Amino acid sequence: MPSVRSSYTDSLRFYGRHTPLELAETWGTPLYVYNEDILRERCRDLMQLSSHTGYGVNYSVKANANPALLKIVREEGLVVDAMSPGELHLDAMAGFPPEKILYISNNNSAEELRNAIDRALLVSVDSLSQLAAFGRLNAGGRVMVRFNPGIGAGHHAKVITAGKETKFGVTPDRLDEVFALLDAYRLTLAGINQHIGSLFMTPGGYLDAAAVLLDLAGRLPDDALKKLEIIDFGGGFGIPYHKYDGEARLDLADLGARLHALIAGWSAKTGYAGRFLIEPGRYVAAECGILLGRVHAVKNNGDKRYVGTDLGFNTLVRPAMYDSFHDVEIYRAGGVNAEQKPMRQTVVGNICESGDILAKDRLLPVMREGDVLGVLDAGAYGFVMASNYNQRCLPAEVLIRADGAAQLIRRRETLDDLTRCFP
Ligand code: LLP
């Protein structure tokens, strides 16, 4: 396709039978575009990490909960989590039966717990008080407990979810109290789980934390270990966001070999015959999604060149919230203007805040009014974190099917959607 910067998506034939210019024209911008083949490939990468019986992948739908994508994930044999009544609703809509949904949330009201229990889900609680609340509602039932292994990881302090500085999980030194509550309410400990944080690019910390969880499982009384059905090590698997710099991928072959050795060895030693799960969100969904937007204005303020787009932080909040990097492609009919050298530019959105920056001081081909931009790796924590801030409507979502055809999987919101909830 003639364009200014698109070698990454060209090499993948990301847009199938379409061009991004055509998609932007047909569906408008901002527009989330997903690629079915890439989503399936990522699911398969993870399903193949271990051949151990009982090994499985629990997709964390908080990364992207569009039911059309969830159906594909289901076809690939993954199970899913839910952390709210809304996620649970979408999981069910995508055809997941209750036994393939784990309710892994925190600080639930009794009503939320009741909803999950009534729908026959296995619930993971992450504090002693939630364990007691669960027991009051479902004495004699099965429950999972989320532990905090004391090892955290992540790309930003806001996404590290284990260690002393976070609200998550029960620390292993409280195991006696966990068992006292399990006894008091005649509950069966059906599973233990953890999640150390989001986005690791080397496997060491994850595997260390997995070993800590197995160590804890090994300390369970014999009869409790016999009844344990699930050990869930959590997610956090990173993806390389610096696509045009050739950033290395997480070495899944190495991670898989070491994880497999760990779980196979531990099962042989303990006789555990239950399931082992990993719980990735980003790894499954990030790379199959691109956010398209359009340049509406360019200007120089002092010596800075600003490229003004419709990609405000209402559409993709990660750069504003975590200083996250997303690579940007540039599409233009007729292609690159060869005499212009790349220059430093800052891509901003249309929200009334100076923090509304998508890409800061990037050395990129000169962008012009009318260009379409593609923000790479936007499939995870993109649409799901989008908002109506400044009363902008949520974008549409389109899926490029395996045959290369585009299918609308969520329509763009309208002004009627904005006013729907006012009495
Ligand atoms: N399991 C639990 C209990 C979690 O809280 C999370 C993510 C996951 C699994 C999946 O983690 P992943 O594999 O996607 O790293 N909004 C942030 C990420 C927040 C992650 C929250 N929990 C971002 O855009 O980077």
Side-chain angles (χ1 to χ4, degrees), residues 297-326:
V298 287
K299 70 163 142 187
N300 290 331
N301 266 2
D303 48 11
K304 258 200 195 304
R305 182 175 167 86
Y306 286 97
V307 178
T309 72
D310 53 9
L311 298 172
F313 69 66
N314 56 314
T315 57
L316 180 69
V317 76
R318 303 193 69 254
M321 189 156 176
Y322 315 111
D323 278 328
S324 298
F325 180 97
H326 285 261

Side-chain angles (χ1 to χ4, degrees), residues 333-349:
V336 68
N337 181 354
E339 74 268 17
Q340 261 179 332
K341 287 209 180 80
M343 67 183 289
R344 296 232 166 250
Q345 295 158 91
T346 292
V347 183
V348 296

Side-chain angles (χ1 to χ4, degrees), residues 369-393:
E369 257 178 64
D371 284 352
V372 169
L373 304 186
V375 185
L376 305 186
D377 304 317
Y381 306 111
F383 185 89
V384 287
M385 293 177 81
S387 76
N388 289 121
Y389 186 41
N390 282 187
Q391 301 316 312
R392 293 196 173 275
C393 296

Side-chain angles (χ1 to χ4, degrees), residues 89-303:
H89 189 58
L90 297 186
D91 287 346
M93 200 175 150
F96 285 95
E99 65 275 15
K100 295 202 170 168
I101 307 173
L102 289 179
Y103 203 73
I104 302 186
S105 60
N106 56 83
N107 308 328
N108 290 296
S109 65
E111 193 187 350
E112 276 189 38
L113 284 176
R114 164 65 52 214
N115 177 48
I117 294 164
D118 286 349
R119 297 176 70 157
L121 299 192
L122 188 52
V123 174
S124 162
V125 295
D126 100 321
S127 63
L128 296 172
S129 72
Q130 288 266 284
L131 181 55
F134 180 92
R136 288 193 295 274
L137 292 168
N138 197 29
R142 289 151 70 238
V143 69
M144 286 175 69
V145 175
R146 175 171 175 171
F147 286 96
N148 178 339
I151 301 171
H155 67 85
H156 190 283
K158 287 179 184 161
V159 301
I160 296 173
T161 49
K164 286 200 185 89
E165 302 295 323
T166 91
K167 68 172 183 170
F168 293 105
V170 177
T171 50
D173 57 321
R174 315 297 290 268
L175 200 54
D176 288 348
E177 288 160 86
V178 168
F179 272 96
L181 285 168
L182 292 171
D183 282 348
Y185 294 103
R186 294 174 290 106
L187 296 170
T188 302
L189 184 65
I192 55 175
N193 60 299
Q194 67 185 21
H195 173 69
I196 64 170
S198 200
L199 209 164
F200 60 82
M201 293 305 284
T202 50
Y206 187 80
L207 292 166
D208 288 349
V212 171
L213 192 64
L214 291 181
D215 185 59
L216 185 138
R219 288 182 1 235
L220 297 179
D222 275 353
D223 58 327
L225 185 58
K226 281 203 187 81
K227 288 184 196 147
L228 198 69
E229 300 164 40
I230 294 176
I231 299 177
D232 181 340
F233 299 120
F237 300 68
I239 61 116
Y241 281 98
H242 292 259
K243 290 288 189 291
Y244 275 82
D245 295 335
E247 184 184 352
R249 300 192 68 80
L250 171 63
D251 186 347
L252 274 191
D254 176 44
L255 171 51
R258 289 161 69 183
L259 184 67
H260 179 79
L262 186 68
I263 61 184
W266 189 81
S267 299
K269 195 173 77 188
T270 59
Y272 173 75
R275 294 157 72 195
F276 291 103
L277 295 175
I278 60 168
E279 198 171 277
R282 183 189 320 271
Y283 195 90
V284 173
E287 291 173 293
C288 74
I290 291 182
L291 172 60
L292 294 182
R294 201 177 278 278
V295 177
H296 289 304
V298 287
K299 70 163 142 187
N300 290 331
N301 266 2
D303 48 11

